[in-house]
Structure formats: structure tokens, C-alpha cells
Amino acid sequence: MTVPGPFTSVVVLLDRVSLFLMGFVVIFLIISARSVLIALVSGLLLRDGPSCFGRANANDLRLSFSSSLVFACVGSVSLILHGSGYVQLYHHESEWQLPFQLTGFLGVLAVQDAVFYFVHRLLHHPALYRIAHLGHHRSRHYSAWTSFAFDPIESLFHSVFIVVVAMTVPLHFVTLFALLVTMSVWAALNHMPPAGLPEAFPHHWLGRWLIGPVHHSIHHQKQGSNFGLYFTFWDLLFGTQDQGYARSVSRVVRKDSLLR
């Protein structure tokens, strides 16, 4: 039976509201499970024991929770946009083309790295720092939970970036999933305290070009330096890389060479 014209918009609205609520709950649970899993694995690596809350504090947990809410809201909106044809994501196996998807994967990481660098520097401006980024730096003893702890404004930026990528770059769902995993794991890795990691941890592996725990820990100690996310390129280009970082990497490389 056809729904009368005057009620069509109401039915469509209710349908989208129910889709939003279901999407919100599912995405929130997925994000929460991801956070707990990564925190648990990092806790084991840092010898915190089996508890995923070993190094967590109230600030990080509170902001991680609020960030999950923001990501779930934006993610649920993206589902509605996808249903309306605004999101360029492929579903079928026949549409999978490895060279194209690999190029898209690396391209998105490169774009995110550049955008993150400039936005990160902007968030450290006095006019924005207290309202948009202070929460992330409030923890003296950071952990994997710190990597998920953002003020709502910063959470909104990170989540909207992903939606913009999905709306402008034609990617397969598998590629998007790989990007989200890479973003989450790399962020958690960068927030592991270097002193708590095993001695065999490869801090030196491409350390002059890729960002890891040592590089980002310096940013939390000296907030005017080391703004990058994945690569040291932008910090080197604009002179914001801490002078002591290169010496730290060199010491680790020399130590590794002696052990071999």
C-alpha cells in the first residue's frame, strides 16, 4: 500500500532516525571494543599485566568515552550519506583492484599526515589550545588510552576527516577498514612510554623518517616540537622537529649495532 503524500517525509525521517540510532549504537560498541583491545595488547607489551586499564587515568578514560560518542555520531551520519549515494565505498569483491586500493591507502595516509601536521600546530595556538587540545596533554603518564583521549572539537575534526575521505576517494570497504586499523594502532603505538617498552623494541627502524614512541613522547614533553603523525617529513621541512630527536635515534642505532 502506498503511503499518502503528506506522510512520506515523516516516514523517511523516522526511517533515517532509526538508522542513525542503530548505527550509533553499533559503531560506538565497535569503537569501544577496539579501544579496550588495543589498550589490553599495549598493556601486555608494557608489562602492565592483563588489565587494559593499567596506565589509564580518569581524564583519559573520560575523554576516550566522549571521543567514542563523537566518532559514533559522525560515523552513523556517514551511514545515512552512504545510503543516499554520497559516500564512495565499494562493496563487491569484483570491484577490488589491489594496485588501485593500495595507491588509495598510501595516498590517504599521506594526506592525513599533512592535514594532521597543520591542524595539530593550529590546535597548539593559544586561542584554540585550551578548548580543543588541552585534554589530550593533561595526562602526565600517557598510555594507549591517551591516544583516544580528545576534546570534542578535536574528535569532530578526526571523525569528519574520515567521512570526507569516504566521500571523495573511491575506496573498497576492506581498504577503509585497513586505514582505520592503521590509524588506531599507530596512534596507540606513538603514545606508549618509551621507557616502559622492551629493550628489543625497534625504535630505530626507519626512525629518521617514521614517527614512533620516542618522537611523539618528545612532543608531550616539549609541546612546541614534533607535530607529525606518521612521517617526520613535515617537522623536518618546517623546522619543528626537536634537535635532540636525531641524536636519540643515532644512539639507539649505535646500541643496536653493538648488540649485533
Side-chain angles (χ1 to χ4, degrees), residues 103-119 157 161-162 164-165 168-169 179 183 229-231 233-234:
T103 301
F105 174 83
L106 296 175
V108 170
L109 289 184
V111 171
Q112 185 193 18
D113 186 62
V115 172
F116 180 90
Y117 174 83
F118 292 107
V119 171
F157 158 72
F161 173 83
I162 297 171
V164 171
V165 166
T168 56
V169 182
L179 282 167
M183 294 173 186
L229 178 62
Y230 300 125
F231 312 108
F233 173 79
W234 296 105

Side-chain angles (χ1 to χ4, degrees), residues 168-224:
T168 56
V169 182
L171 296 172
H172 195 278
F173 265 107
V174 174
T175 307
L176 180 62
F177 177 76
L179 282 167
L180 294 175
V181 170
T182 301
M183 294 173 186
S184 299
V185 172
W186 205 308
L189 182 67
N190 285 348
H191 288 86
M192 290 185 181
L197 291 167
E199 291 186 7
F201 190 88
H203 295 288
H204 64 284
W205 190 72
L206 295 181
R208 294 185 178 90
W209 301 280
L210 292 181
I211 291 173
V214 173
H215 189 279
H216 196 68
S217 67
I218 294 175
H219 171 72
H220 276 263
Q221 297 165 13
K222 306 175 182 179
Q223 295 184 25

Side-chain angles (χ1 to χ4, degrees), residues 37-88:
L37 178 61
I38 291 178
L40 177 61
V41 173
S42 66
L44 293 173
L45 184 61
L46 292 169
R47 293 162 292 187
D48 280 344
S51 173
C52 62
F53 301 102
R55 292 174 180 261
N57 57 60
N59 175 72
D60 285 351
L61 293 176
R62 177 179 58 82
L63 288 180
S64 295
F65 178 78
S66 65
S67 295
S68 298
L69 293 177
V70 173
F71 272 86
C73 282
V74 175
S76 189
V77 170
S78 71
L79 291 178
I80 297 175
L81 293 175
H82 180 263
S84 302
Y86 292 105
V87 175
Q88 301 189 55

